[in-house]
Structures are given as C-alpha cells and as structure tokens.
Amino acid sequence: MIFLKAFVCGGVLCAIGQLLIDKTKLTPARILVAYVVAGVILGGLGLYEPLAKWAGAGATIPLTGFGNTIARGVREAVAEKGWLGIFTGGLTAAAGGVTAAVVFGFLAALLFRPGDKS
C-alpha cells in the first residue's frame, strides 16, 4: 500500500508541474523554484510533515520534499542555536543531498561526453 501512496502523491506533484508547463508561460526553472519554495512554506507551517508521513518517498523525493527538509533544518537549528540557526540550519539539513548531487553530476560528466543533438 505504501508504494501506491507514494505513486499517487508523486504522480499528482508531477501532473501539477506538467499542467503548469502546458497551461502557463512559466519556464520549467521557475516551476522548480516554485516547488522548492512551496515545500519550504508548507514545511515551515508544519503542513508538509503529515503528507510526508502518509506518502513516504512520494512526498520526500520531489523538490517540495527538498524545501521541506530545508525548513525542518532551520526549525531544528533555531531551537538549538537560536537565531544563528536561520543561517546554518538549511545548509546543514540539505548538505547530504546537495553533496550527492554534485558528486554524481561530476561522475556523469567524467563518464559521458555531452554533445549537441544535431
């Protein structure tokens, strides 16, 4: 059942993104940024955690989950370090994911030769 929940949640998030691409003049980059910001806002308000517990990877893997991770890291760091946590919490919470993206991107650049499609 957890796979079905993850599929439905992730599918709805992707469908919303596809509708935004098809029906608006927003660029994909702006839509991705909007997803991260939405995750930060929903996570900051405490509304994203119940969705993440219900849907599992269907809510934590998309970009909204990344925004939620940043918001959670800031909340925890502010509780631990005070106002200084505003500046350090998001970076600390997202460091693993960002590092993995950079390392795997670098490895892909070493292994594959990018080129034009022409």
Side-chain angles (χ1 to χ4, degrees):
M1 189 65 176
I2 187 125
F3 296 118
L4 181 63
K5 291 178 183 178
F7 177 77
V8 168
C9 182
V12 166
L13 289 171
C14 290
I16 291 169
Q18 189 63 50
L19 285 172
L20 288 172
I21 289 172
D22 292 344
K23 302 294 183 186
T24 67
K25 293 185 179 189
L26 292 172
T27 63
R30 289 179 188 227
I31 294 169
L32 295 175
V33 170
Y35 268 36
V36 173
V37 170
V40 169
I41 292 171
L42 292 173
L45 295 174
L47 300 175
Y48 203 80
E49 288 298 324
L51 177 65
K53 286 183 181 172
W54 180 79
T60 57
I61 299 300
L63 283 173
T64 51
F66 180 69
N68 179 50
T69 300
I70 292 171
R72 185 173 16 137
V74 169
R75 272 196 323 265
E76 291 172 0
V78 166
E80 183 181 315
K81 300 176 184 175
W83 289 104
L84 185 61
I86 292 173
F87 304 107
T88 62
L91 296 173
T92 303
V98 172
T99 302
V102 169
V103 168
F104 289 119
F106 179 72
L107 290 175
L110 288 177
L111 294 175
F112 302 103
R113 212 170 274 245
D116 293 336
K117 291 186 177 184
S118 58

